[in-house]
Amino acid sequence: MSTTYHEDVSPGSGTLPPRAGYARSDAMSLSLNGSWRFRLSPTADGADYSFAAPGYDSGAWDEVAVPGHWVLQGHGAPIYTNHLYPFPVDPPRVPTENPTGDHLRTFDLPARWPGSGEAVLRFDGVESCARVWLNGEELGEFKGSRLPHEFAVGALLRAEGNVLAVRVHQWSSGSYLEDQDQWWMPGIFRDVTLLHRPDGAAGDFFVHAAYDHRSGRGTLRVDSAVPGRVTVPELGLDLAAGDEAVVEADPWTAETPRLYDGELATAGERIPLRIGFRTVLVEDGVIKVNGRRILFRGVNRHEFHPETGRTLDLETMRADVVLMKQHNINAVRTSHYPPHPAFLDLCDELGLWVVDECDLETHGFTEQDWRANPVDDERWTPALLDRAARMVERDKNHPSVVVWSLGNECGTGRGLTAMADWIRGRDPERLIHYEGDLSCADTDMYSRMYASHAEVAAIGRREDDGPPERLQLPFVLCEYAHAMGNGPGGLSEYQQLFEAHARNQGGFVWEWIDHGLAHPEFGYAYGGDFGEELHDGNFVCDGLLFPDRTPSPGLVEYKKVIQPVGIEGVRTDGDRTEGGGAAVRITNKYDFTDLSHLTFEWSFDVDGETAETGVLDVPVLAPGERADLELPAPAYAGRNAETRWTVRALLADGTRHEVAWAQLPAAPRQSPPVASGSRPRRDGQSVALGPASFDARTGELRTLGPVDIRQLRLDIWRAPTDNDNGADWQSGVRYGQRWRELGLHRMQHRLDAVELSDDALTVRTRVAPAAQDIALVTAYRWTSDGARLRLTVSVAPEGDWTAPLPRLGIRFGLPAGADSVSWFGGGPGEAYPDTRSASRLGRWHSSVDGLQTPYVRPQENGARADVRWAEVGGVRVEGDPEFWFTARRWTSEQLDAAEHRTDLRPAGPVWVNLDHAQQGIGSQSCGPRPLDQHQLAAEPAEFTFTFAPVPDPGAE
């Protein structure tokens, strides 16, 4: 074999043909996972091949865990790039500096290992190229990091002292096909298994299980490379492999994941089958499963763990799927490679639609205008076909897999067409997806990334420009709503478009989890934290879960937006109203399931506290059906209270897991006026007004009762979010950049006047950045009724404001001991103008630290929406109108300066923001900016806050 095999464009040599994989059977197997001897060399040819010879002494070598990545075990470091290749683009050549890890594992066969038959050595995932020897005999080499490869080894096995040697190169020709927006982390990162293949063992097999929704019958045929029989006891089936049977059966869907246990028995082996009957096709321009249009409420999922990288255990995989189901997610795109096969078992069992994506991305070639792109170079076509075949053959028996995806961000080319043709010939029973070819010549659907709301609306109406053939295809957003940092915004508006147009069949949020690697200094590390020459910073932290798998506010918001039960207020005559009423409309938004698995409850809330509760009797509604139900007349007869209904849909299985909810206003809030009965009194350097004292010269509030107040003033700055900062490839304003250009992070406050009248203290200022002629002319008018202090802030912009404001409100500091926070408003988590669907009105309690959202890269966070009143640090604040409330132990400027969570250290005051308005969040870190209705224009505004001192139980 050539020493440059790792640079050859071929997929490898010596491996067995791909087949249905990961099938558990009664044949013996031996896991070779565990501790392996390991040696790292800086180059591909920097170490000789003597380690593969029998008797080699590796006693001086280190050890690593397999499966695992050596860069996470003290050998080298990971590299993060989004799409740039971290080596010169000269396909298929790779750098001389090519970290190469030699692995050795010695093993004995179990005492019961049969003496007859064959054996197969299976690798489920190695990055990026492996060369393999067993007992000194070379088996071959392979590429295709996230795909299975097998070698026939029966003739080489010994009862004791078998030596398995594997050389792994970080870079190979295969690296050009694996540019997938993730950490580059070499190693044997999935299982290594020795499989006994008895005489008469099953070879490849293909389970075909279709469902006819008109007759309610399933059709089963199991093709097998080896003669055998197929039994399904629950269905009374016993037939030869290759024969077809039609039976009465329940269908498999993501909502009703009905599996039938069966078995394929050959002369030498029994393989358990998990059979799900379903039919997938495009009909009338939409994707249908079992005759019904489906709506993807999906996520993109990279495999990731903060300590072990792409090596995941079964418990973590199951926890992910359970968490998805708990948050109303029904679909996964396996971006951008086939997952560990156990994950698909879980999708079959628990119910998720799966878009299974090939291990293919050549995104870095966009830097050369796709010149020399492997997918349009016939020399690479065998490698592309090999990758397609290994995906399809391994995963073809999973009912959860309804779509094959050719890959991601590969441009266009003949190789993709060859892949599509091969897949259609092998498996015409599933659909084909690819996003990068707008002609859709090779696909069954029109797929896009990050299309704007306006464009999605036009596509839904089939009014988009493009080939006539494309207009007849269903539309899927394979990526949308970039979940990087604070966000994503605009989810509810997207969902409305999915539900309004049959062609728009949903999408997949990017993505499931932040890829922050555990780090002793930074907490979680991202690009650049390992000294990479090229990197893309925290763009790798763009998930709905934090690295420790804690749900982010984005996941909580997504769950609310995609809830499969509609709950809205209606008039008693059945006409829907904005304000709701004494009746509620329940709509079944499931695709297949009626509502019999749910129980419905109502509560009547008075000023944010539950006064009454009850059960709502909802009829069994089929998918798409709705019912208008009257709510009972509440017994509460109080006056001047804000009241509302909360209606919840809960699982009826005893877990009381909440599936959907909504709040319906009953009586609106009434804000009692604060009389101006107290006169301001000047006493030397101070002005007294009700419970407060002010600096007589500057008009600054100094104390409120016993509480010291610091630097209360207009505030418009927020630490820009990842979405504020935007992406280079997005058109339009990148707000974070524009805000800095305007100097909004360093506003200067000029005092123009301090005025005392009979009933008020008025402070007039001009707030403006250096070097600009824009300003906010601001007046603070203070009045009091003796017990409370009322502030009315009037703001008038001057000059030509070329960007929206980050926020508009006031900020002040409280003593550092302030900790306990209570409020009546939206909660329990953060919300912003376009991320507030999950914000539930009520009375909430937290510590100041508990208000913070721990984004991997610190940024604006923690605002609570629609706050009526809040208490913190011995101060009670009421708003007129409602306001946004934020409290933290650092300033926005300190938050802005932090690069990691560990940079934020509490010091000094607790800083409180009371905002009249906030700029929306959007998705511009990769997607569209905030919608116009969520942008905060610089325009005249007036807002009022009322302050009163209260005891603070959390103060020291």
Side-chain angles (χ1 to χ4, degrees), residues 362-619:
T362 63
H363 197 176
F365 285 91
T366 189
E367 297 295 315
Q368 291 81 39
D369 270 339
W370 298 106
R371 186 173 60 256
N373 184 8
V375 304
D376 200 29
D377 183 339
E378 62 184 13
R379 295 176 301 165
W380 293 80
T381 300
L384 304 184
L385 290 173
D386 180 76
R387 289 171 183 248
R390 290 186 184 280
M391 171 183 70
V392 171
E393 301 295 10
R394 190 196 75 170
D395 297 343
K396 61 182 179 283
N397 295 321
H398 290 282
S400 58
V401 176
V402 293
V403 177
W404 300 117
S405 179
L406 302 180
N408 184 68
E409 293 176 318
C410 295
T412 59
R414 294 164 288 175
L416 293 170
T417 299
M419 293 171 68
D421 289 346
W422 184 90
I423 292 173
R424 282 203 175 91
R426 179 59 172 144
D427 181 23
E429 299 167 359
R430 289 180 173 92
L431 306 180
I432 294 181
H433 165 272
Y434 178 66
E435 174 269 340
D437 184 359
L438 296 181
S439 75
C440 300
D442 298 320
T443 67
D444 296 306
M445 63 201 70
Y446 177 27
S447 177
R448 289 281 302 283
M449 294 180 181
Y450 307 106
S452 69
H453 296 80
E455 191 173 4
V456 172
I459 292 171
R461 296 189 299 267
R462 300 188 190 271
E463 296 174 355
D464 53 307
D465 296 330
E469 298 83 2
R470 196 178 76 190
L471 291 174
Q472 306 309 311
L473 296 178
F475 177 69
V476 173
L477 276 170
C478 67
E479 293 181 22
Y480 81 113
H482 199 246
M484 184 176 179
N486 188 333
L491 283 170
S492 61
E493 290 86 356
Y494 273 119
Q495 194 66 20
Q496 290 165 12
L497 295 171
F498 299 156
E499 295 178 2
H501 303 286
R503 185 190 189 192
N504 291 344
Q505 297 199 245
F508 299 81
V509 168
W510 186 268
E511 66 158 303
W512 177 237
I513 188 169
D514 286 342
H515 299 200
L517 287 169
H519 192 284
E521 179 181 353
F522 303 128
Y524 291 113
Y526 49 78
D529 288 337
F530 296 97
E532 300 101 307
E533 180 182 31
L534 291 175
H535 66 85
D536 286 293
N538 69 309
F539 200 71
V540 75
C541 295
D542 46 14
L544 294 169
L545 296 183
F546 296 124
D548 64 358
R549 284 182 157 72
T550 300
S552 75
L555 181 57
V556 177
E557 176 79 358
Y558 192 39
K559 175 186 178 180
K560 179 66 174 69
V561 166
I562 62 176
Q563 64 184 27
V565 180
I567 305 172
E568 56 186 338
V570 294
R571 294 186 188 275
T572 53
D573 60 9
D575 294 330
R576 181 165 36 166
T577 67
E578 290 296 325
V584 62
R585 174 168 295 164
I586 305 297
T587 304
N588 183 353
K589 296 185 178 183
Y590 285 103
D591 296 326
F592 299 92
T593 309
D594 65 31
L595 299 187
S596 60
H597 67 295
L598 299 177
T599 184
F600 289 79
E601 296 181 356
W602 60 264
S603 65
F604 189 72
D605 308 324
V606 179
D607 282 339
E609 294 188 318
T610 300
E612 299 179 54
T613 63
V615 175
L616 186 66
D617 188 12
V618 177

Side-chain angles (χ1 to χ4, degrees), residues 80-82 146 178-183 190 299-305 309-310 312 320 324 332-340 343 357 361 408 479 509-515 539-540 542 549:
Y80 169 62
T81 60
N82 168 31
R146 285 154 281 277
E178 296 172 4
D179 188 20
Q180 294 150 322
D181 185 13
Q182 60 181 332
W183 293 99
R190 287 185 185 160
V299 292
N300 286 275
R301 175 189 177 268
H302 268 297
E303 293 184 307
F304 183 77
H305 189 282
R310 282 187 290 281
L312 298 185
D320 277 353
M324 290 176 190
V332 170
R333 175 178 174 230
T334 68
S335 54
H336 297 293
Y337 43 83
H340 191 290
F343 179 79
E357 192 148 89
E361 181 171 337
N408 184 68
E479 293 181 22
V509 168
W510 186 268
E511 66 158 303
W512 177 237
I513 188 169
D514 286 342
H515 299 200
F539 200 71
V540 75
D542 46 14
R549 284 182 157 72

